[in-house]
Tab-separated table of all heavy atoms in Angstrom:
chain	number	residue	atom	x	y	z
N	184	GLU	N	91.554	107.865	124.358
N	184	GLU	CA	90.145	108.236	124.560
N	184	GLU	C	89.980	108.993	125.846
N	184	GLU	O	89.098	109.839	125.989
N	184	GLU	CB	89.295	107.005	124.559
N	184	GLU	CG	88.842	106.674	123.161
N	184	GLU	CD	88.340	105.244	123.028
N	184	GLU	OE1	87.747	104.689	123.990
N	184	GLU	OE2	88.540	104.697	121.929
N	185	LYS	N	90.847	108.747	126.831
N	185	LYS	CA	90.795	109.472	128.115
N	185	LYS	C	91.401	110.897	127.994
N	185	LYS	O	91.486	111.600	128.940
N	185	LYS	CB	91.523	108.760	129.197
N	185	LYS	CG	90.836	107.498	129.749
N	185	LYS	CD	91.730	106.924	130.833
N	185	LYS	CE	91.117	105.802	131.659
N	185	LYS	NZ	89.948	105.098	131.294
N	186	GLY	N	91.873	111.201	126.745
N	186	GLY	CA	92.397	112.546	126.531
N	186	GLY	C	93.887	112.680	126.829
N	186	GLY	O	94.470	113.776	126.839
N	187	LYS	N	94.550	111.515	127.117
N	187	LYS	CA	95.972	111.596	127.413
N	187	LYS	C	96.802	111.756	126.135
N	187	LYS	O	96.339	111.408	125.062
N	187	LYS	CB	96.452	110.253	128.074
N	187	LYS	CG	95.642	109.839	129.290
N	187	LYS	CD	95.877	110.735	130.436
N	187	LYS	CE	95.038	110.273	131.653
N	187	LYS	NZ	94.982	111.266	132.667
N	188	THR	N	98.011	112.309	126.331
N	188	THR	CA	98.939	112.402	125.194
N	188	THR	C	99.913	111.268	125.440
N	188	THR	O	100.466	111.059	126.521
N	188	THR	CB	99.681	113.783	125.299
N	188	THR	OG1	98.703	114.811	125.230
N	188	THR	CG2	100.649	113.922	124.145
N	189	VAL	N	100.169	110.484	124.383
N	189	VAL	CA	101.008	109.314	124.554
N	189	VAL	C	102.184	109.358	123.569
N	189	VAL	O	102.039	109.659	122.411
N	189	VAL	CB	100.196	108.031	124.189
N	189	VAL	CG1	101.079	106.791	124.323
N	189	VAL	CG2	98.997	107.877	125.126
N	190	LEU	N	103.397	109.145	124.155
N	190	LEU	CA	104.572	108.995	123.317
N	190	LEU	C	105.079	107.591	123.556
N	190	LEU	O	105.344	107.244	124.676
N	190	LEU	CB	105.645	110.011	123.713
N	190	LEU	CG	107.060	109.830	123.081
N	190	LEU	CD1	107.016	109.845	121.601
N	190	LEU	CD2	107.986	110.946	123.626
N	191	LEU	N	105.104	106.779	122.520
N	191	LEU	CA	105.527	105.405	122.705
N	191	LEU	C	106.708	105.087	121.751
N	191	LEU	O	106.811	105.660	120.672
N	191	LEU	CB	104.390	104.387	122.485
N	191	LEU	CG	103.716	104.269	121.155
N	191	LEU	CD1	104.383	103.185	120.325
N	191	LEU	CD2	102.275	103.785	121.405
N	192	THR	N	107.491	104.162	122.145
N	192	THR	CA	108.568	103.662	121.261
N	192	THR	C	108.266	102.213	120.886
N	192	THR	O	107.600	101.495	121.602
N	192	THR	CB	109.977	103.663	122.002
N	192	THR	OG1	109.995	102.527	122.875
N	192	THR	CG2	110.232	104.944	122.775
N	193	THR	N	108.683	101.895	119.682
N	193	THR	CA	108.494	100.466	119.229
N	193	THR	C	109.435	100.177	118.088
N	193	THR	O	109.984	101.137	117.486
N	193	THR	CB	106.980	100.341	118.754
N	193	THR	OG1	106.793	99.010	118.396
N	193	THR	CG2	106.651	101.223	117.589
N	194	HIS	N	109.662	98.869	117.914
N	194	HIS	CA	110.302	98.565	116.640
N	194	HIS	C	109.378	97.697	115.805
N	194	HIS	O	109.776	97.129	114.828
N	194	HIS	CB	111.717	98.004	116.732
N	194	HIS	CG	112.005	97.139	117.877
N	194	HIS	ND1	111.477	95.868	118.010
N	194	HIS	CD2	112.788	97.337	118.894
N	194	HIS	CE1	111.895	95.330	119.147
N	194	HIS	NE2	112.710	96.211	119.723
N	195	TYR	N	108.132	97.632	116.211
N	195	TYR	CA	107.145	96.948	115.422
N	195	TYR	C	106.438	97.913	114.466
N	195	TYR	O	105.747	98.817	114.899
N	195	TYR	CB	106.067	96.248	116.295
N	195	TYR	CG	106.610	95.171	117.203
N	195	TYR	CD1	106.502	95.311	118.571
N	195	TYR	CD2	107.275	94.062	116.644
N	195	TYR	CE1	106.985	94.301	119.387
N	195	TYR	CE2	107.745	93.097	117.502
N	195	TYR	CZ	107.611	93.229	118.884
N	195	TYR	OH	108.125	92.222	119.721
N	196	MET	N	106.644	97.640	113.162
N	196	MET	CA	106.081	98.546	112.158
N	196	MET	C	104.577	98.590	112.286
N	196	MET	O	103.921	99.596	112.142
N	196	MET	CB	106.409	98.064	110.799
N	196	MET	CG	107.867	97.802	110.580
N	196	MET	SD	108.650	99.303	110.184
N	196	MET	CE	110.324	98.695	109.984
N	197	GLU	N	103.988	97.353	112.478
N	197	GLU	CA	102.539	97.260	112.439
N	197	GLU	C	101.952	98.049	113.628
N	197	GLU	O	100.879	98.721	113.517
N	197	GLU	CB	102.161	95.797	112.502
N	197	GLU	CG	100.675	95.566	112.188
N	197	GLU	CD	100.198	94.245	112.699
N	197	GLU	OE1	101.007	93.408	113.043
N	197	GLU	OE2	98.978	94.110	112.718
N	198	GLU	N	102.667	97.963	114.722
N	198	GLU	CA	102.211	98.645	115.956
N	198	GLU	C	102.153	100.123	115.728
N	198	GLU	O	101.174	100.834	116.063
N	198	GLU	CB	103.142	98.294	117.091
N	198	GLU	CG	102.830	99.035	118.386
N	198	GLU	CD	103.492	98.288	119.566
N	198	GLU	OE1	103.183	97.101	119.791
N	198	GLU	OE2	104.389	98.894	120.189
N	199	ALA	N	103.216	100.648	115.138
N	199	ALA	CA	103.287	102.077	114.876
N	199	ALA	C	102.130	102.447	113.872
N	199	ALA	O	101.480	103.477	114.080
N	199	ALA	CB	104.621	102.446	114.278
N	200	ASP	N	101.979	101.646	112.876
N	200	ASP	CA	100.972	101.926	111.872
N	200	ASP	C	99.576	101.925	112.427
N	200	ASP	O	98.749	102.837	112.166
N	200	ASP	CB	101.072	100.854	110.765
N	200	ASP	CG	100.544	101.309	109.404
N	200	ASP	OD1	99.884	102.296	109.426
N	200	ASP	OD2	100.825	100.614	108.435
N	201	VAL	N	99.256	100.979	113.233
N	201	VAL	CA	97.881	100.793	113.796
N	201	VAL	C	97.577	101.883	114.853
N	201	VAL	O	96.509	102.398	114.856
N	201	VAL	CB	97.733	99.378	114.385
N	201	VAL	CG1	96.400	99.268	115.184
N	201	VAL	CG2	97.800	98.331	113.289
N	202	LEU	N	98.577	102.120	115.741
N	202	LEU	CA	98.236	102.936	116.945
N	202	LEU	C	98.510	104.442	116.751
N	202	LEU	O	97.811	105.227	117.375
N	202	LEU	CB	99.178	102.429	118.106
N	202	LEU	CG	98.832	101.269	118.931
N	202	LEU	CD1	99.829	101.137	120.042
N	202	LEU	CD2	97.438	101.469	119.523
N	203	CYS	N	99.515	104.764	115.961
N	203	CYS	CA	100.001	106.125	116.057
N	203	CYS	C	99.362	107.120	115.139
N	203	CYS	O	99.121	106.803	113.966
N	203	CYS	CB	101.532	106.139	115.871
N	203	CYS	SG	102.429	105.214	117.085
N	204	ASP	N	99.072	108.304	115.652
N	204	ASP	CA	98.567	109.363	114.803
N	204	ASP	C	99.698	109.904	113.920
N	204	ASP	O	99.598	110.194	112.745
N	204	ASP	CB	98.046	110.543	115.594
N	204	ASP	CG	96.822	110.097	116.416
N	204	ASP	OD1	95.877	109.621	115.859
N	204	ASP	OD2	96.893	110.212	117.709
N	205	ARG	N	100.887	110.045	114.616
N	205	ARG	CA	102.079	110.423	113.855
N	205	ARG	C	103.286	109.613	114.343
N	205	ARG	O	103.261	109.159	115.475
N	205	ARG	CB	102.367	111.933	114.003
N	205	ARG	CG	101.323	112.772	113.260
N	205	ARG	CD	101.740	114.234	113.217
N	205	ARG	NE	101.958	114.739	114.517
N	205	ARG	CZ	103.029	115.497	114.866
N	205	ARG	NH1	103.950	115.752	113.957
N	205	ARG	NH2	103.173	115.952	116.114
N	206	ILE	N	104.252	109.477	113.481
N	206	ILE	CA	105.438	108.658	113.801
N	206	ILE	C	106.702	109.384	113.431
N	206	ILE	O	106.755	110.024	112.357
N	206	ILE	CB	105.374	107.304	112.913
N	206	ILE	CG1	104.137	106.557	113.285
N	206	ILE	CG2	106.636	106.512	113.154
N	206	ILE	CD1	103.790	105.478	112.240
N	207	SER	N	107.707	109.291	114.296
N	207	SER	CA	109.076	109.740	113.846
N	207	SER	C	109.879	108.396	113.671
N	207	SER	O	109.862	107.556	114.599
N	207	SER	CB	109.737	110.517	114.954
N	207	SER	OG	109.472	111.853	114.791
N	208	ILE	N	110.485	108.274	112.523
N	208	ILE	CA	111.343	107.175	112.328
N	208	ILE	C	112.749	107.590	112.732
N	208	ILE	O	113.280	108.602	112.246
N	208	ILE	CB	111.345	106.637	110.805
N	208	ILE	CG1	109.946	106.224	110.477
N	208	ILE	CG2	112.340	105.500	110.674
N	208	ILE	CD1	109.821	105.648	109.068
N	209	ILE	N	113.346	106.856	113.727
N	209	ILE	CA	114.641	107.232	114.287
N	209	ILE	C	115.632	106.148	113.988
N	209	ILE	O	115.358	104.960	114.100
N	209	ILE	CB	114.506	107.578	115.785
N	209	ILE	CG1	115.841	107.949	116.403
N	209	ILE	CG2	113.805	106.492	116.557
N	209	ILE	CD1	115.718	108.647	117.777
N	210	ASP	N	116.820	106.597	113.548
N	210	ASP	CA	117.874	105.651	113.216
N	210	ASP	C	119.223	106.320	113.549
N	210	ASP	O	119.413	107.499	113.204
N	210	ASP	CB	117.780	105.322	111.701
N	210	ASP	CG	118.761	104.176	111.323
N	210	ASP	OD1	119.002	103.300	112.127
N	210	ASP	OD2	119.223	104.256	110.195
N	211	ASN	N	120.090	105.619	114.238
N	211	ASN	CA	121.388	106.181	114.584
N	211	ASN	C	121.253	107.549	115.256
N	211	ASN	O	122.051	108.467	114.961
N	211	ASN	CB	122.299	106.331	113.372
N	211	ASN	CG	122.798	104.993	112.912
N	211	ASN	OD1	123.050	104.102	113.737
N	211	ASN	ND2	122.886	104.824	111.604
N	212	GLY	N	120.267	107.713	116.122
N	212	GLY	CA	120.176	108.965	116.918
N	212	GLY	C	119.562	110.137	116.134
N	212	GLY	O	119.514	111.252	116.640
N	213	ARG	N	119.117	109.868	114.896
N	213	ARG	CA	118.528	110.946	114.074
N	213	ARG	C	117.125	110.616	113.610
N	213	ARG	O	116.861	109.445	113.322
N	213	ARG	CB	119.401	111.159	112.838
N	213	ARG	CG	120.725	111.672	113.196
N	213	ARG	CD	121.440	112.141	111.963
N	213	ARG	NE	122.733	112.722	112.419
N	213	ARG	CZ	123.634	113.167	111.627
N	213	ARG	NH1	123.511	113.109	110.361
N	213	ARG	NH2	124.755	113.632	112.146
N	214	ILE	N	116.301	111.649	113.559
N	214	ILE	CA	114.986	111.433	112.996
N	214	ILE	C	115.140	111.553	111.520
N	214	ILE	O	115.490	112.605	110.955
N	214	ILE	CB	113.930	112.443	113.573
N	214	ILE	CG1	113.739	112.089	115.059
N	214	ILE	CG2	112.670	112.389	112.814
N	214	ILE	CD1	112.810	113.025	115.817
N	215	ILE	N	114.814	110.466	110.806
N	215	ILE	CA	115.001	110.481	109.357
N	215	ILE	C	113.663	110.700	108.586
N	215	ILE	O	113.688	111.000	107.424
N	215	ILE	CB	115.667	109.209	108.840
N	215	ILE	CG1	114.905	107.952	109.258
N	215	ILE	CG2	117.130	109.159	109.286
N	215	ILE	CD1	115.491	106.658	108.675
N	216	ALA	N	112.553	110.592	109.286
N	216	ALA	CA	111.239	110.953	108.668
N	216	ALA	C	110.277	111.143	109.826
N	216	ALA	O	110.384	110.554	110.853
N	216	ALA	CB	110.807	109.828	107.771
N	217	CYS	N	109.205	112.000	109.551
N	217	CYS	CA	108.180	112.181	110.505
N	217	CYS	C	106.864	112.501	109.825
N	217	CYS	O	106.867	113.255	108.850
N	217	CYS	CB	108.549	113.354	111.492
N	217	CYS	SG	107.382	113.604	112.757
N	218	GLY	N	105.837	111.916	110.231
N	218	GLY	CA	104.485	112.176	109.642
N	218	GLY	C	103.496	111.180	110.018
N	218	GLY	O	103.738	110.313	110.862
N	219	THR	N	102.276	111.273	109.486
N	219	THR	CA	101.251	110.250	109.755
N	219	THR	C	101.727	108.980	108.947
N	219	THR	O	102.499	109.060	108.069
N	219	THR	CB	99.888	110.702	109.149
N	219	THR	OG1	100.023	110.771	107.738
N	219	THR	CG2	99.431	112.019	109.730
N	220	PRO	N	101.148	107.833	109.363
N	220	PRO	CA	101.570	106.631	108.652
N	220	PRO	C	101.356	106.775	107.096
N	220	PRO	O	102.215	106.356	106.356
N	220	PRO	CB	100.654	105.538	109.215
N	220	PRO	CG	100.370	105.995	110.627
N	220	PRO	CD	100.319	107.512	110.537
N	221	ASP	N	100.222	107.388	106.732
N	221	ASP	CA	99.995	107.556	105.274
N	221	ASP	C	101.013	108.494	104.675
N	221	ASP	O	101.483	108.225	103.507
N	221	ASP	CB	98.604	108.051	105.022
N	221	ASP	CG	97.546	106.950	105.154
N	221	ASP	OD1	97.991	105.767	105.125
N	221	ASP	OD2	96.370	107.283	105.296
N	222	GLU	N	101.301	109.555	105.342
N	222	GLU	CA	102.298	110.519	104.787
N	222	GLU	C	103.633	109.780	104.608
N	222	GLU	O	104.329	110.022	103.591
N	222	GLU	CB	102.488	111.675	105.718
N	222	GLU	CG	101.417	112.764	105.585
N	222	GLU	CD	101.395	113.757	106.780
N	222	GLU	OE1	102.245	113.632	107.650
N	222	GLU	OE2	100.545	114.654	106.737
N	223	LEU	N	104.026	108.981	105.556
N	223	LEU	CA	105.326	108.314	105.437
N	223	LEU	C	105.333	107.371	104.293
N	223	LEU	O	106.336	107.269	103.542
N	223	LEU	CB	105.616	107.564	106.780
N	223	LEU	CG	105.915	108.412	107.949
N	223	LEU	CD1	106.021	107.586	109.209
N	223	LEU	CD2	107.254	109.176	107.751
N	224	LYS	N	104.224	106.687	104.085
N	224	LYS	CA	104.193	105.736	102.969
N	224	LYS	C	104.224	106.423	101.593
N	224	LYS	O	104.642	105.855	100.583
N	224	LYS	CB	102.926	104.836	103.036
N	224	LYS	CG	103.025	103.884	104.190
N	224	LYS	CD	101.708	103.171	104.372
N	224	LYS	CE	101.590	102.563	105.766
N	224	LYS	NZ	100.258	102.196	106.047
N	225	LYS	N	103.879	107.724	101.571
N	225	LYS	CA	103.902	108.458	100.342
N	225	LYS	C	105.319	108.738	99.838
N	225	LYS	O	105.480	109.139	98.692
N	225	LYS	CB	103.152	109.811	100.470
N	225	LYS	CG	101.593	109.638	100.649
N	225	LYS	CD	100.844	109.988	99.376
N	225	LYS	CE	99.499	109.284	99.237
N	225	LYS	NZ	98.563	109.581	100.341
N	226	VAL	N	106.306	108.594	100.732
N	226	VAL	CA	107.686	108.774	100.241
N	226	VAL	C	108.101	107.739	99.225
N	226	VAL	O	109.049	107.877	98.547
N	226	VAL	CB	108.761	108.844	101.357
N	226	VAL	CG1	108.411	109.858	102.422
N	226	VAL	CG2	108.972	107.447	101.998
N	227	LEU	N	107.309	106.644	99.244
N	227	LEU	CA	107.587	105.595	98.229
N	227	LEU	C	106.980	106.032	96.901
N	227	LEU	O	105.863	106.591	96.839
N	227	LEU	CB	106.942	104.273	98.661
N	227	LEU	CG	107.449	103.759	100.046
N	227	LEU	CD1	106.572	102.603	100.510
N	227	LEU	CD2	108.875	103.322	99.933
N	228	ASN	N	107.646	105.782	95.809
N	228	ASN	CA	107.135	106.270	94.563
N	228	ASN	C	105.873	105.567	94.116
N	228	ASN	O	104.983	106.162	93.631
N	228	ASN	CB	108.202	106.016	93.459
N	228	ASN	CG	109.468	106.851	93.787
N	228	ASN	OD1	109.298	107.936	94.347
N	228	ASN	ND2	110.599	106.348	93.355
N	229	ASN	N	105.775	104.310	94.337
N	229	ASN	CA	104.597	103.569	93.976
N	229	ASN	C	103.803	103.123	95.171
N	229	ASN	O	104.366	102.363	95.975
N	229	ASN	CB	104.971	102.342	93.141
N	229	ASN	CG	105.796	102.783	91.971
N	229	ASN	OD1	105.345	103.513	91.076
N	229	ASN	ND2	107.028	102.320	91.886
N	230	ASP	N	102.606	103.674	95.292
N	230	ASP	CA	101.933	103.399	96.545
N	230	ASP	C	101.449	101.959	96.700
N	230	ASP	O	101.760	101.310	97.706
N	230	ASP	CB	100.677	104.281	96.595
N	230	ASP	CG	101.072	105.645	97.071
N	230	ASP	OD1	102.204	105.801	97.597
N	230	ASP	OD2	100.260	106.561	96.998
N	231	ILE	N	100.726	101.443	95.727
N	231	ILE	CA	100.077	100.104	95.884
N	231	ILE	C	100.521	99.232	94.707
N	231	ILE	O	100.611	99.681	93.575
N	231	ILE	CB	98.539	100.287	95.875
N	231	ILE	CG1	98.134	101.270	96.990
N	231	ILE	CG2	97.891	98.969	96.030
N	231	ILE	CD1	96.846	101.968	96.753
N	232	VAL	N	100.775	97.970	94.956
N	232	VAL	CA	101.174	97.037	93.890
N	232	VAL	C	100.057	96.044	93.702
N	232	VAL	O	99.554	95.425	94.652
N	232	VAL	CB	102.445	96.267	94.247
N	232	VAL	CG1	102.844	95.287	93.144
N	232	VAL	CG2	103.617	97.237	94.505
N	233	ILE	N	99.585	95.970	92.442
N	233	ILE	CA	98.596	94.909	92.111
N	233	ILE	C	99.377	93.772	91.370
N	233	ILE	O	100.003	94.009	90.342
N	233	ILE	CB	97.506	95.492	91.154
N	233	ILE	CG1	96.938	96.755	91.702
N	233	ILE	CG2	96.467	94.428	90.905
N	233	ILE	CD1	96.023	97.491	90.682
N	234	ASP	N	99.344	92.647	92.012
N	234	ASP	CA	100.151	91.487	91.479
N	234	ASP	C	99.179	90.523	90.888
N	234	ASP	O	98.338	89.967	91.619
N	234	ASP	CB	100.883	90.871	92.695
N	234	ASP	CG	102.015	89.974	92.167
N	234	ASP	OD1	102.208	89.849	90.966
N	234	ASP	OD2	102.704	89.398	93.024
N	235	ILE	N	99.225	90.330	89.542
N	235	ILE	CA	98.228	89.566	88.881
N	235	ILE	C	98.894	88.264	88.326
N	235	ILE	O	99.898	88.370	87.614
N	235	ILE	CB	97.484	90.324	87.748
N	235	ILE	CG1	96.794	91.493	88.446
N	235	ILE	CG2	96.614	89.415	86.922
N	235	ILE	CD1	95.824	92.174	87.605
N	236	ALA	N	98.334	87.115	88.718
N	236	ALA	CA	98.849	85.865	88.172
N	236	ALA	C	97.966	85.455	86.965
N	236	ALA	O	96.772	85.584	87.021
N	236	ALA	CB	98.822	84.770	89.234
N	237	LEU	N	98.663	84.980	85.928
N	237	LEU	CA	97.911	84.577	84.672
N	237	LEU	C	98.078	83.081	84.399
N	237	LEU	O	99.036	82.490	84.939
N	237	LEU	CB	98.464	85.451	83.501
N	237	LEU	CG	98.234	86.958	83.624
N	237	LEU	CD1	99.160	87.686	82.731
N	237	LEU	CD2	96.755	87.296	83.460
Side-chain angles (χ1 to χ4, degrees):
E184 271 163 33
K185 286 182 168 16
K187 308 289 181 196
T188 303
V189 179
L190 170 57
L191 65 88
T192 76
T193 183
H194 36 69
Y195 295 121
M196 309 277 181
E197 194 200 346
E198 177 160 297
D200 204 347
V201 170
L202 277 184
C203 298
D204 298 303
R205 290 190 305 132
I206 299 165
S207 271
I208 299 184
I209 178 164
D210 188 33
N211 286 325
R213 294 191 175 175
I214 291 177
I215 54 174
C217 184
T219 64
D221 281 345
E222 281 166 359
L223 290 172
K224 289 172 199 164
K225 291 254 156 60
V226 306
L227 302 169
N228 296 330
N229 303 299
D230 278 347
I231 303 155
V232 178
I233 308 170
D234 196 359
I235 297 194
L237 298 163

